Amino acid sequence: TGEKQGVKVKIKAQSTWNGGPMLRTELLPQTTNSLTGHLFFHVSLQIPTVNPPDPAYEHQIVFWESHFADIKYGQLSGQNGVADTLQVITGGKSIWSVQQPVKGTWYNFILETGSPGGLWVSTGSTPLTKVFTGSLNGNGGTDWHIGALRLPINGAAQQITETDFYYSGIYVEDSGPTTQP
């Protein structure tokens, strides 16, 4: 109920990237400002109840070109276990996760770069709290993407079904952070 603006994005048959097996859709915020130093990258996402992503595939739901961290959903290539997992990964390690994320619920994230760095998380309209303190791998830059990738698992061909994601609250702060979604 706190949402005023947002965007619904789809992955479908026309979402192939460079003719390969990966499906991709992105928002490309435009800036010429350097996105280095102590910054707070905000994004809220929702896995909808209608046309949700198939957890049998690996989804990089949100990523930054500098790869400070990736928010992933689904079965990760080369991993066994519960596929229906939403997690944040940096340096190849999960720093936050939830199994069976509630469809239709907003998950809010702040990736804090620089020193001390870290991850802030909340759901719904609850204020974000810091759940990880430490350096996030990455090198900054001006090119950052908010998007969804669907990767084939272990080389298997994808069955292309329409998938939806919702995003809101996408912005960068150079002080703060603002913890109210």
Side-chain angles (χ1 to χ4, degrees):
T1 59
E3 292 301 316
K4 302 289 185 231
Q5 295 178 329
V7 63
K8 174 176 146 180
V9 295
K10 291 184 176 293
I11 292 179
K12 54 186 180 178
Q14 294 80 9
S15 300
T16 57
W17 187 60
N18 286 339
M22 178 175 60
L23 303 178
R24 182 176 185 169
T25 184
E26 295 186 82
L27 302 175
L28 301 171
Q30 301 297 305
T31 185
T32 57
N33 296 331
S34 175
L35 297 176
T36 59
H38 194 206
L39 299 173
F40 302 91
F41 292 81
H42 292 255
V43 65
S44 295
L45 67 92
Q46 183 187 116
I47 299 169
T49 56
V50 176
N51 293 337
D54 183 345
Y57 293 97
E58 177 179 341
H59 297 83
Q60 289 185 2
I61 296 181
V62 178
F63 74 102
W64 279 258
E65 186 65 23
S66 54
H67 290 281
F68 282 110
D70 292 318
I71 300 172
K72 295 190 177 191
Y73 173 72
Q75 183 67 52
L76 302 186
S77 186
Q79 288 188 344
N80 295 319
V82 177
D84 193 9
T85 301
L86 180 64
Q87 60 186 314
V88 179
I89 297 175
T90 187
K93 296 181 180 182
S94 179
I95 58 173
W96 175 88
S97 68
V98 62
Q99 291 184 354
Q100 300 177 337
V102 179
K103 310 305 185 273
T105 295
W106 285 100
Y107 287 85
N108 311 298
F109 299 94
I110 300 172
L111 295 175
E112 179 183 355
T113 62
S115 182
L119 174 68
W120 303 67
V121 179
S122 78
T123 57
S125 59
T126 305
L128 289 92
T129 58
K130 198 167 195 176
V131 298
F132 172 80
T133 300
S135 178
L136 301 177
N137 288 353
N139 56 8
T142 59
D143 189 18
W144 64 295
H145 301 204
I146 310 297
L149 306 178
R150 188 168 89 176
L151 305 171
I153 295 294
N154 302 321
Q158 294 206 50
Q159 293 183 12
I160 300 174
T161 55
E162 191 171 286
T163 297
D164 296 338
F165 295 97
Y166 293 93
Y167 300 110
S168 187
I170 300 169
Y171 63 101
V172 180
E173 289 182 295
D174 60 6
S175 64
T178 301
T179 59
Q180 188 62 44

